[in-house]
Amino acid sequence: MEFSHQIRVTYQETDRMGVVYYANYLHWFEIGRTELLRQLGISYKELEERGVVLPVVESHCNYHAPARYDDLVDIYTEVEELKRTKITFNYKIVRAEDEQLLTTGSTVHPFVNHDFKPLSLKKAQPELWSLLQKN
């Protein structure tokens, strides 16, 4: 299931030409997965309070067209793959006004504890596992 969240491009996210700086798309990916979890019923903060941390171990970003200052953009996020020890998210960023595809990408996150020791989410947090499986 794909979730969406809309943001407006701020001035500080752009370069001198008014084009969004390329690294900001990775920040938008983070916003997308944070909002996906929130829409599923758990915040990133609550996830971490339960002892589950999701570091990024892999990221990919493909740029199709530039976002510009003051654009409204939709961040579409979905769980591509859920395994006991990791989760992969896919992202699509689209300009709301004309539905122009701007960026696609993905990130991979292992489930680890606060000491960065791997977790089997299914065993350690079965209710969280169940929540993510519903997606």
Side-chain angles (χ1 to χ4, degrees):
M1 185 181 314
E2 191 174 64
F3 292 87
S4 67
H5 183 74
Q6 191 171 78
I7 62 170
R8 185 174 298 279
V9 176
T10 63
Y11 188 76
Q12 61 94 23
E13 293 172 306
T14 64
D15 60 19
R16 189 172 180 185
M17 298 173 289
V19 173
V20 170
Y21 179 67
Y22 74 94
N24 284 318
Y25 292 94
L26 293 174
H27 176 72
W28 293 352
F29 289 177
E30 180 181 350
I31 291 170
R33 69 180 171 271
T34 298
E35 293 304 320
L36 177 148
L37 289 172
R38 188 180 317 279
Q39 290 178 32
L40 287 175
I42 187 164
S43 70
Y44 238 96
K45 181 180 179 181
E46 185 180 349
L47 193 70
E48 291 183 350
E49 287 171 351
R50 291 182 179 204
V52 180
V53 183
L54 298 175
V56 176
V57 294
E58 190 176 322
S59 66
H60 298 276
C61 191
N62 299 305
Y63 304 96
H64 304 281
R68 299 185 184 277
Y69 172 62
D70 208 39
D71 282 350
L72 272 176
V73 295
D74 294 315
I75 305 166
Y76 295 95
T77 309
E78 65 182 354
V79 175
E80 174 189 336
E81 181 178 54
L82 176 63
K83 293 191 172 183
R84 291 177 186 199
T85 58
K86 73 176 182 176
I87 188 168
T88 302
F89 295 95
N90 279 341
Y91 310 92
K92 179 173 61 175
I93 298 177
V94 175
R95 186 174 21 255
E97 179 183 4
D98 59 4
E99 298 185 14
Q100 170 72 48
L101 178 63
L102 304 174
T103 309
T104 55
S106 63
T107 56
V108 178
H109 309 258
F111 298 114
V112 300
N113 65 20
H114 290 289
D115 294 325
F116 286 84
K117 302 281 188 212
L119 293 173
S120 166
L121 191 68
K122 188 174 182 178
K123 283 174 93 176
Q125 298 283 338
E127 67 285 346
L128 293 177
W129 175 260
S130 177
L131 189 70
L132 289 170
Q133 276 194 310
K134 291 178 186 176
N135 179 36

